[in-house]
């Protein structure tokens, strides 16, 4: 095992150690030495330039990452990121989740669905001064001013409606950046292996290693004949990206430097220890229990109806992934006393700050606001869940839209402006693909019963359901679904143009409930905004002090993840999972056969098993995944105790890059900026990295590009797509 003293020192030291950091592209030159030490040859200045290769080939899906890999707009991402597109095109007759899908020509590529988008980030501009200029000291007014300033910047940025712009907060409101993204509105499904490949091992293997998942799929971006983004149309043409990734068919070896570019969702590394304790002690256990109950319900109902199972497959997969992550966080908090580690660091900072300022007023103020926020979350939790029905959510959104449309566009809440209407309508349309009233009713009933069983009650909701026992409540909900027209797509869409008065006169039970809840929800929203206004003063001030503290210690600081484009670097490396168990960084085809039972989730397709049995590896065979032990890059335990031969195709591999949710589908690059894999998961021990990065055990899990190429070549015979790729060695 590695030096225990080094580990102890690393855990008790400051931030940005080892391979830690989800860096903004513009920060690359400031860490050029770290990149070079990992063998990243591509210039840091080039990585900072979003107009240059490879960053201009990395795109967002809004919830995952993808990258262009051909001049014809072909993009690769994870299978689980393309899940909605596969589900959208599946039914009981053509279940592409089960069978897989491959379009033999452009004409056979179907729409990925009305909600699917590709976002190409073209510019990131510091707008801190514009957002924070002349802000009021009144919390609610301050919140509204920040919101108005952001909307004004977005409106100016979106003068061309082919672009989607957003203003994102960095360092907890200390900085703001304007993100400008080209929107590709016509996205099509090209190639996806069956789920038995894309999610081999299912929830059992989720967050685990060794792993043997072919978590990849291909999409394609289309535009109008004029080359500009357009909604889906049969005569649209493939988008021609400014660049596309070169693919290194030779892959990587243990000890080589790699980096990842993508859109990580959320981390909480600069949050207070009290916030971690609240998440660990109350929020995560409560959420995990609810997710498990909902998954059990969907499984039970889907077992009796295949069409229903297909409709809710994406919803269930998302909840299962979230639930396992929550359980992993809880296990991680128990296995490593992260709260104590964070508290120690926090105490050291607070002592330094008190010495610098003469008091701890700032810290005490933030402590009080965080306590207030925790109280709000707990008080609201069951009431918010009690509004979980998809049809009720649609009614709430539609009535809010009618109210917002009474205001000038610039005064409307974000999400209800004219810029949002296409996505608003698409969301209403998309509901049909993942909705069944039987499931929705059962899930909503469970949330209502949980709400009625606790003490934080709301009079408005109680007026509808508060005096009903279980049987009466179930009968009441049955009446809701029977009397509502919102289950019909055309009826839902028709409400987009109606006035508040028309909603208030409606007898649709979901609309009646939405109207009744409106004032309560708006009052709670005002309370939230007021608190956010207070936090918009306290958190940035705290963050600035924390940055100053780390500068004194000589440590750079990266922002918490917030869904914006980031770069992380590291190396291909295994890790010490527990006593006497070192996990090597690569898995191979043999592991698929070894795990295969013929029963899900270990039911590999016969054509894949046949190719492995026939040893039909072709040019994809890899003799060794380890470097010469004498190499200066070979600093791994695995290099000192490596197997003699690999002699297979690498399936998945580990690296020390810093990733989180949203990085799914992110391209993994070698030191020259060539594609060598796709990020898709983390190891179970690494789940706590959303709060704390431990470089000794934090590993990301990637699909090896050599497995993807072998699948395309020897198993699914996707020669038409292979011909599009630029392969190098």
């Amino acid at each position: 095992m590695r030096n225990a003293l080094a580990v102890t020192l690393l855990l008790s030291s400051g931030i940005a150690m080892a391979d830690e950091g989800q860096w903004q592209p513009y920060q690359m030159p400031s860490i050029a030495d770290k990149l070079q030490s990992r063998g990243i040859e591509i210039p840091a200045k080039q990585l900072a330039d979003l107009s240059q290769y490879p960053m201009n080939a990395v795109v967002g899906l809004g919830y995952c990452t993808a990258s262009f890999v051909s001049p014809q707009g072909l993009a690769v991402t994870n299978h689980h990121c393309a899940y909605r597109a596969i589900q959208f095109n599946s039914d009981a007759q053509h279940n592409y989740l089960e069978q897989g899908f491959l379009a033999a020509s452009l004409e056979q590529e179907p729409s990925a669905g009305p909600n699917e988008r590709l976002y190409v980030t073209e510019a990131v501009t510091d707008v801190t001064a514009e957002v924070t200029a002349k802000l009021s000291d009144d919390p609610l007014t301050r919140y509204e001013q920040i919101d108005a300033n952001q909307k004004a910047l977005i409106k100016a940025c979106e003068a061309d409606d082919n672009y989607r712009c957003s203003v994102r907060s960095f360092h907890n409101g200390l900085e703001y950046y304007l993100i400008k993204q080209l929107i590709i509105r016509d996205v099509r499904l090209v190639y996806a292996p069956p789920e038995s490949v894309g999610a081999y091992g299912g929830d059992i293997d989720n967050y685990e290693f060794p792993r043997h998942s072919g978590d990849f799929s291909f999409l394609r971006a289309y535009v109008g004949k004029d080359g500009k983004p357009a909604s889906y149309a049969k005569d649209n043409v493939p988008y021609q990206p400014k660049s596309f990734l070169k693919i290194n068919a030779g892959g990587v070896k243990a000890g080589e430097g790699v980096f990842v570019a993508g859109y990580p969702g959320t981390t909480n590394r600069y949050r207070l220890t009290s916030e971690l304790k609240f998440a660990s002690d109350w929020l995560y256990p409560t959420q995990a229990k609810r997710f498990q109950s909902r998954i059990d319900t969907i499984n039970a109902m889907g077992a009796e109806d295949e069409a229903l199972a297909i409709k809710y497959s994406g919803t269930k997969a998302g909840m299962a992934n979230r639930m396992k992550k929550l359980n992993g966080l809880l296990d991680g908090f128990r296995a490593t006393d992260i709260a104590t580690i964070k508290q120690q660091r926090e105490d050291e900072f607070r002592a330094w700050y008190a010495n610098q300022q003469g008091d701890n007023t700032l810290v005490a103020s933030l402590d009080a606001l965080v306590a207030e926020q925790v109280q709000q979350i707990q008080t609201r939790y069951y009431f918010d869940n009690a509004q979980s029905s998809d049809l009720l959510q649609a009614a709430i959104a539609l009535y809010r839209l009618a109210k917002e449309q009474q205001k000038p566009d610039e005064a409307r809440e974000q999400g209800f402006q004219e810029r949002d209407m296409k996505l608003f309508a698409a969301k209403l349309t998309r509901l049909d693909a993942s909705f069944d009233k039987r499931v929705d009713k059962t899930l909503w009933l469970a949330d209502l019963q949980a709400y009625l069983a606790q003490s934080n009650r709301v009079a408005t909701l109680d007026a509808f359901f508060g005096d009903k026992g279980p049987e009466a409540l179930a009968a009441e909900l049955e009446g809701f679904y029977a009397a509502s027209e919102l289950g019909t797509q055309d009826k839902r869409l028709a409400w987009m143009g109606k006035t508040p008065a028309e909603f208030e006169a409606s007898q649709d039970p979901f609309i009646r409930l939405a109207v009744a809840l409106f004032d309560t929800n708006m009052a709670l929203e005002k309370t939230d905004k007021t608190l956010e206004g207070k936090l918009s003063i306290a958190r940035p001030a705290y963050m600035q002090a924390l940055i100053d503290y780390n500068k004194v210690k000589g440590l750079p600081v990266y922002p918490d993840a917030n869904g914006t484009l980031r770069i992380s670097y590291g190396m291909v490396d295994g890790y010490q999972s527990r006593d006497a168990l070192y996990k090597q960084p690569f898995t191979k085809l043999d592991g698929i056969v070894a795990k295969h039972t013929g029963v899900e989730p270990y039911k590999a397709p016969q054509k894949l098993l046949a190719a492995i049995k026939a040893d039909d590896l072709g040019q994809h065979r890899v003799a060794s995944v380890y470097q010469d032990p004498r190499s200066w890059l070979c600093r791994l335990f695995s290099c000192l105790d490596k197997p003699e031969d690999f002699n297979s195709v690498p399936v998945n591999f580990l690296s020390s890059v810093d990733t989180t949710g949203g990085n799914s589908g992110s391209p993994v690059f070698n030191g020259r900026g060539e594609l060598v894999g796709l990020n898709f998961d983390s190891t179970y021990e690494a789940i706590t990295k959303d709060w704390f990065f431990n470089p000794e055990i934090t590993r990301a899990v990637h699909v090896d590009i050599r497995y993807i190429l072998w699948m395309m070549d020897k198993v699914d015979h996707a020669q038409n797509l292979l011909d599009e790729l630029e392969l190098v060695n």
Side-chain angles (χ1 to χ4, degrees), residues 352-600:
W352 173 87
Y353 182 78
N355 184 58
Q356 294 290 311
Q357 300 298 321
D359 65 56
N360 254 333
T361 304
L362 167 64
V363 176
S365 173
L366 183 56
D367 283 340
L369 292 173
V370 166
E372 183 180 343
Q373 189 173 51
V374 164
Q375 182 63 38
Q376 284 189 12
I377 293 170
Q378 288 181 304
T379 303
R380 293 266 301 279
Y381 180 81
Y382 291 99
F383 173 66
D384 289 341
N385 287 345
Q387 302 176 64
S388 64
S389 162
D390 284 340
L391 295 191
L392 178 55
Q393 285 296 302
I396 288 171
L398 285 163
Y399 184 52
R400 178 71 180 272
L401 175 63
K403 286 283 196 178
E404 294 290 336
Q405 286 178 330
Q406 305 303 301
K407 309 173 187 176
D409 189 59
E410 64 274 10
R412 297 181 196 172
E413 193 73 18
Q414 293 190 44
F416 297 93
Q417 296 179 288
E418 287 304 316
R419 66 189 287 269
D420 303 307
M421 288 304 96
K422 289 180 180 178
L423 283 176
F424 193 100
K427 186 175 181 180
L428 291 176
T429 301
R430 175 76 184 182
L431 179 61
D432 284 357
S434 57
F435 172 82
D436 182 279
K437 69 177 183 180
R438 294 166 296 170
V439 178
D440 195 60
K441 179 182 63 178
T442 304
L443 296 176
W444 188 30
L445 176 61
D447 278 336
L448 280 170
Q449 288 173 328
Y451 161 79
L452 293 170
Q454 51 88 55
S455 59
N456 294 312
R457 304 278 283 273
V458 176
T460 311
L461 190 61
D462 283 1
F464 277 77
F465 306 118
D467 60 347
K468 293 179 171 62
E471 292 183 4
L473 182 60
E476 178 77 8
L477 298 196
E478 184 66 39
F480 265 66
Y481 289 89
S484 178
E485 295 182 335
L486 292 179
T488 303
Q489 182 184 123
D490 291 344
K491 299 290 186 180
R492 285 195 303 275
L493 292 171
W495 280 99
M496 282 186 67
K498 296 188 183 294
T499 65
E502 289 175 291
F503 277 86
E504 289 149 17
S506 173
Q507 294 304 304
D508 186 294
F510 284 105
I511 292 176
R512 286 179 55 241
L513 182 54
V515 170
L517 291 170
F518 182 80
D519 287 343
T520 299
N521 282 330
M522 290 304 96
L524 293 171
E525 184 177 294
K526 183 177 179 180
T527 300
D528 291 344
K529 289 179 177 179
T530 301
L531 178 56
E532 285 298 323
K534 295 176 183 177
L535 287 167
S536 73
I537 299 172
R539 282 204 194 274
Y542 182 90
M543 195 65 212
Q544 182 62 68
L546 192 58
I547 290 172
D548 293 342
Y549 171 69
N550 281 282
K551 283 183 177 178
V552 169
K553 298 179 70 175
L555 297 171
V557 181
Y558 58 91
D560 263 322
N562 62 354
T564 59
L565 187 56
R566 304 294 181 91
I567 298 173
S568 302
Y569 67 91
M571 68 188 296
V572 179
D573 194 4
Y575 70 106
Q576 193 81 31
S577 175
R578 54 183 179 269
D579 183 39
L581 179 59
Y582 182 87
K583 294 194 174 182
Q584 299 288 343
F586 287 92
T587 61
K588 54 185 177 180
L589 296 179
D590 308 54
I592 297 174
V593 178
K595 286 182 176 179
H596 176 74
T597 62
V599 179
E600 294 292 351

Side-chain angles (χ1 to χ4, degrees), residues 72-354:
Q72 296 299 308
L74 187 67
V76 65
T77 187
N78 287 155
H79 183 275
H80 77 262
C81 295
Y83 204 94
R84 296 196 311 189
I86 305 167
Q87 178 196 31
F88 179 78
N89 287 285
S90 294
D91 54 35
Q93 289 72 42
H94 299 92
N95 188 346
Y96 298 129
L97 291 170
E98 180 179 315
Q99 303 158 6
F101 176 82
L102 173 63
S105 65
L106 295 177
E107 292 73 26
Q108 294 180 19
E109 296 175 357
S111 170
N115 277 4
E116 295 309 308
R117 302 285 188 273
L118 287 179
Y119 298 95
V120 185
T121 300
E122 294 191 356
V124 179
T125 308
D126 187 344
V127 292
T128 307
E130 292 91 328
V131 173
T132 60
K134 300 178 181 179
L135 296 178
S136 170
D137 291 332
D138 176 72
L140 182 58
T141 303
R142 182 184 182 88
Y143 175 91
E144 292 171 342
Q145 287 173 334
I146 292 173
D147 184 59
N149 292 341
Q150 289 177 317
K151 286 190 286 192
L153 288 164
I154 291 169
K155 183 176 181 180
C157 179
E158 292 182 345
D160 182 343
D161 64 6
N162 289 322
Y163 287 88
R164 183 79 174 180
C165 301
S166 61
V167 175
R168 298 294 181 90
S169 163
F170 292 75
H171 294 304
N172 291 322
L174 185 62
E175 298 174 352
Y176 291 87
Y177 283 82
L178 177 67
I179 318 294
K180 184 177 183 179
Q181 297 178 307
L182 181 72
I183 316 169
I184 306 298
R185 297 188 179 91
D186 185 353
V187 182
R188 304 190 191 180
L189 180 63
V190 179
Y191 168 44
E195 190 173 9
S196 54
V197 171
Y200 189 68
D203 191 52
I204 296 173
D205 277 6
N206 194 19
Y207 290 114
E208 302 293 345
F209 203 82
R211 196 75 175 271
H212 302 84
S213 175
D215 199 350
F216 71 91
S217 289
F218 288 82
L219 305 170
R220 194 184 303 276
Y222 279 76
V223 292
K225 290 183 177 180
D226 59 0
K228 295 181 179 180
S231 298
Y232 174 83
K234 286 186 177 181
D235 60 351
N236 281 350
V237 297
Y239 170 68
Q240 297 182 359
K242 292 179 180 178
S243 71
F244 57 94
L245 301 183
K246 296 177 182 178
I247 296 175
N248 192 299
V252 284
K253 292 186 176 182
E256 289 189 14
V258 291
F259 67 97
V260 163
Y263 294 82
T266 303
T267 55
N268 304 291
R269 294 178 189 169
Y270 302 109
R271 296 290 179 169
L272 302 183
T273 307
S274 61
E275 294 177 274
L276 183 152
K277 289 179 178 177
F278 166 64
S280 174
D281 296 345
W282 190 87
L283 185 61
Y284 290 168
T286 305
Q287 290 177 334
K289 181 179 178 181
R290 178 172 180 258
F291 281 131
Q292 185 61 65
S293 175
R294 293 169 76 83
I295 291 166
D296 291 344
T297 297
I298 293 171
N299 280 338
M301 299 183 76
E304 300 177 358
D305 187 330
E306 183 181 0
L308 186 152
I310 292 172
K311 278 193 171 186
Y312 279 86
S313 57
T315 302
K316 187 187 75 172
M319 287 192 292
N321 183 66
R322 179 60 180 160
M323 190 197 70
K324 187 156 188 179
K325 181 171 184 177
L326 290 170
N327 287 331
L329 283 161
L330 295 170
D331 286 345
F333 292 150
R334 287 188 288 266
T336 303
D337 193 357
I338 293 174
T340 296
I341 295 170
K342 283 185 68 69
Q343 190 67 65
Q344 178 184 341
R345 293 183 178 184
E346 195 174 303
D347 289 345
E348 291 172 358
F349 161 70
R350 290 180 182 220
W352 173 87
Y353 182 78

Side-chain angles (χ1 to χ4, degrees), residues 67-72 74-76 191 218 220 244-247 675 705 708-709 712 718-728:
S67 50
F68 290 122
V69 289
S70 93
Q72 296 299 308
L74 187 67
V76 65
Y191 168 44
F218 288 82
R220 194 184 303 276
F244 57 94
L245 301 183
K246 296 177 182 178
I247 296 175
L675 185 67
I705 196 64
I708 297 174
L709 295 174
M712 297 173 75
Q719 190 61 45
N720 59 315
L721 300 183
L722 286 168
D723 290 342
E724 285 193 52
L725 308 179
E726 182 176 341
L727 303 180
V728 298

